[in-house]
């Protein structure tokens, strides 16, 4: 089977892991953790970085650090991996789910401006921003950089400023990407999260990180994720979390970071080859690649406009029979059992996208021979044109 996206571990991973074993630094304290944080901060254009056990735990602690509380609403796109929304629920809050833009598959900023204007008000007594229909406080915006494409951050930051809302970015797959030539961790958000899950362009075998330019936010986040311990005498001044990354994970992460640019470039090449190869097939469209950004093309694939869900499912089965790991992509959050009651906008764009996507093999070490085989099989299945 040609896999969808597997790690590329041909660098110094084994060497660095051996260093951890030899030194006995295998847990959350160790030199690789600090080195990893410095490497990610530098690569993402941010001043501070704090590494965590996972992207999901990073998002949870970032939302708490941004002041999200029980029963609040957090604005988020419905089209995302479920972890973005679960992190909101872990705070005891609810998502306010938004449709995405067809241009970038990230939160629709026109819709966001419109709904903030027409569906919220300021409570007279204390100035709190309230979602009028539910009476809940709106306490943050959580944009997602879908597929490693930065969302429209200028517009989002402007709205966040106007409505006094913190911004916590889920940039899980967007390390190494750029928005208007600025690296994706330096775009003015309060907190930006990257994931190092095994399917990401660079992995730590699991893990996450928060980057920020604000020293106080970095300090609070580090404190909260390190059990909120004060000093050496088992004093804890808040409800903290054991969410830090281990030196073992960071060792793998450091070795991977040494190849970040090469890996992102490989992803771009793979996406470019698919886009070119399928460009003449009627009803088949590439994944978005907006001009304002340099996307990381985390996943490659195609959008098939002229087939129904059953036909698309059959196509995936036939590709799998041919030894190609072709898959669907995220099912929107408003269709997921725990979140069907969450407030939401109309969802035309994301429901269409979800039903029309096939993801295709795009590991950074995918060979030209394997990619050509995938291309031939897909073209044959789609009847060439
Ligand atoms: C968009 C998005 N958000 C959040 C996550 C969660 O990250 P992690 O798996 O590191 O917890 C992922 C991927 O795994 C993701 O793709």
């Amino acid at each position: 089977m040609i896999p969808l996206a597997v790690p590329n571990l041909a660098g110094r991973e084994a060497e660095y892991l051996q260093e951890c074993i030899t030194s006995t630094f295998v847990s959350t304290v160790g030199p690789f953790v600090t080195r990893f944080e410095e490497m990610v901060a530098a690569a993402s254009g941010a001043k501070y970085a704090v590494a965590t056990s996972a992207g999901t735990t990073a998002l949870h602690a970032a939302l708490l650090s941004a002041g999200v509380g029980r029963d609040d609403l957090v604005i988020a796109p419905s089209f995302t991996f479920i972890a973005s929304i679960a992190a909101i629920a872990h705070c005891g809050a609810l998502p306010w789910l938004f449709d995405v833009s067809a241009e970038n598959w990230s939160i629709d900023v026109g819709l966001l401006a419109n709904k903030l204007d027409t569906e919220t008000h300021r409570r007279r007594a204390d100035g709190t921003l309230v979602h009028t229909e539910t009476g809940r406080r709106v306490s943050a915006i959580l944009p997602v950089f879908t597929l490693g494409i930065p969302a429209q951050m200028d517009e989002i930051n402007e709205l966040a400023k106007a409505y006094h809302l913190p911004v916590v970015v889920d940039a899980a797959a967007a390390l190494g990407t750029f928005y208007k030539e600025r690296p994706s961790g330096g775009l003015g958000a309060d907190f930006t999260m990257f994931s190092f899950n095994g399917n990401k362009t660079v992995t730590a075998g699991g893990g996450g990180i928060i980057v920020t330019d604000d020293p106080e936010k970095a300090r609070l986040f580090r404190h909260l994720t390190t059990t909120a311990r004060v000093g050496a005498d088992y004093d804890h001044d808040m409800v903290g979390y054991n969410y830090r990354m281990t030196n073992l994970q960071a060792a793998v992460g450091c070795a991977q970071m040494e190849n970040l640019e090469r890996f992102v470039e490989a992803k771009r090449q793979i996406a470019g080859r698919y886009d070119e190869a399928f460009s003449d097939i009627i009803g088949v469209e590439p994944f978005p690649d907006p001009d304002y950004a340099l996307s990381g093309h985390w996943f490659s694939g195609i959008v098939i406009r002229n087939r129904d869900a059953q036909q698309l499912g059959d196509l995936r089965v036939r590709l799998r029979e041919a030894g190609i790991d072709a898959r669907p992509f995220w099912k929107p959050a408003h269709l997921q059992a725990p979140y069907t009651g969450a407030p939401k906008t109309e969802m035309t764009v994301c429901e269409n996208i979800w039903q029309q996507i096939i993801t295709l093999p795009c590991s950074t070490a995918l060979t030209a021979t394997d990619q050509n085989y995938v291309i031939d099989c897909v073209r044959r299945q789609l009847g060439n044109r």
Side-chain angles (χ1 to χ4, degrees):
M1 179 76 78
I2 303 176
L4 183 70
V6 289
N8 183 337
L9 301 167
R12 303 176 75 180
E13 290 80 5
E15 180 192 332
Y16 291 172
L17 281 170
Q18 185 59 53
E19 275 184 44
C20 296
I21 309 284
T22 308
S23 69
T24 75
F25 280 104
V26 293
S27 193
T28 52
V29 175
F32 283 114
V33 177
T34 311
R35 198 198 299 179
F36 182 64
E37 290 174 343
E38 286 167 2
M39 290 175 96
V40 176
S44 68
K47 290 199 179 114
Y48 306 97
V50 184
T52 55
S53 54
T56 311
T57 55
L59 276 182
H60 176 209
L63 289 167
L64 292 175
S65 304
V68 171
R70 187 157 293 283
D71 298 330
D72 286 354
L73 285 185
V74 174
I75 292 167
S78 187
F79 190 60
T80 183
F81 181 57
I82 202 66
S84 329
I85 308 302
I88 296 169
H90 294 162
C91 300
L94 254 193
W96 178 7
L97 295 168
F98 276 69
D99 201 359
V100 295
S101 145
E103 190 203 354
N104 56 18
W105 295 359
S106 292
I107 195 162
D108 180 330
V109 292
L111 194 60
L112 179 59
N114 178 274
K115 297 290 177 186
L116 278 168
D117 181 35
T118 58
E119 297 191 4
T120 66
H121 66 273
R122 290 247 166 238
R123 200 158 52 208
R124 280 229 188 89
D126 56 6
T128 300
L129 185 70
V130 174
H131 180 248
T132 304
E133 192 190 327
T134 59
R136 290 171 186 259
R137 179 173 88 115
V138 182
S139 60
I141 305 177
L142 191 156
V144 177
F145 289 6
T146 308
L147 297 170
I149 306 166
Q152 286 159 282
M153 287 305 290
D154 285 349
E155 289 84 349
I156 291 169
N157 286 336
E158 205 173 299
L159 288 167
K161 202 164 158 211
Y163 287 88
H164 305 291
L165 291 170
V167 178
V168 176
V169 172
D170 179 343
L175 192 57
T177 72
F178 292 81
Y179 169 80
K180 299 184 179 175
E181 298 183 6
R182 279 144 50 207
S184 51
L187 303 177
D190 294 78
F191 298 94
T192 301
M193 179 280 274
F194 301 105
S195 164
F196 299 92
N197 181 276
N199 68 9
K200 295 296 177 287
T201 304
V202 291
T203 183
I209 210 162
I210 280 295
V211 300
T212 176
D213 279 342
D214 183 325
E216 182 48 32
K217 291 193 174 90
R219 191 206 61 76
L220 174 62
F221 181 86
R222 190 178 288 276
H223 184 58
L224 195 60
T225 53
T226 321
T227 73
R229 182 167 171 156
V230 187
D233 290 339
Y234 291 95
D235 285 314
H236 304 264
D237 62 355
M238 330 166 51
V239 178
Y241 297 84
N242 179 13
Y243 275 178
R244 297 304 308 286
M245 179 178 273
T246 68
N247 204 43
L248 287 170
Q249 289 171 294
V252 176
C254 284
Q256 291 273 294
M257 284 300 291
E258 290 170 4
N259 286 307
L260 173 67
E261 281 176 25
R262 197 165 66 78
F263 286 173
V264 173
E265 185 50 35
K267 288 279 191 186
R268 289 194 185 118
Q269 300 276 345
I270 291 165
R273 270 187 249 125
Y274 281 134
D275 291 355
E276 163 123 40
F278 303 131
S279 61
D280 63 333
I281 305 181
I282 292 160
V284 170
E285 291 173 18
F287 284 1
D289 193 5
D291 288 342
Y292 68 76
L294 197 56
S295 167
H297 298 279
W298 168 46
F299 272 6
S300 280
I302 43 178
V303 186
I304 304 182
R305 297 285 184 204
N306 52 5
R307 313 272 161 124
D308 63 26
Q310 175 69 41
Q311 289 171 315
L312 227 69
D314 292 347
L315 175 59
R316 282 193 296 263
V317 169
R318 287 198 297 275
L319 289 172
R320 290 183 73 81
E321 283 166 359
I324 295 165
D325 192 1
R327 298 194 201 176
F329 199 46
W330 302 328
K331 180 175 173 180
H334 69 279
L335 302 174
Q336 306 280 1
Y339 308 110
T340 48
K344 64 175 193 294
T345 67
E346 57 277 21
M347 291 290 175
T348 329
V349 178
C350 78
E351 287 190 9
N352 276 337
I353 295 169
W354 162 58
Q355 288 171 355
Q356 296 175 335
I357 288 180
I358 287 189
T359 54
L360 294 170
C362 56
S363 306
T364 55
L366 181 70
T367 62
T369 309
D370 279 354
Q371 188 169 10
N372 287 338
Y373 173 73
V374 175
I375 290 167
D376 286 348
C377 288
V378 172
R379 288 191 67 90
R380 217 172 310 122
Q381 291 298 339
L382 291 173
N384 274 319
R385 26 164 78 246

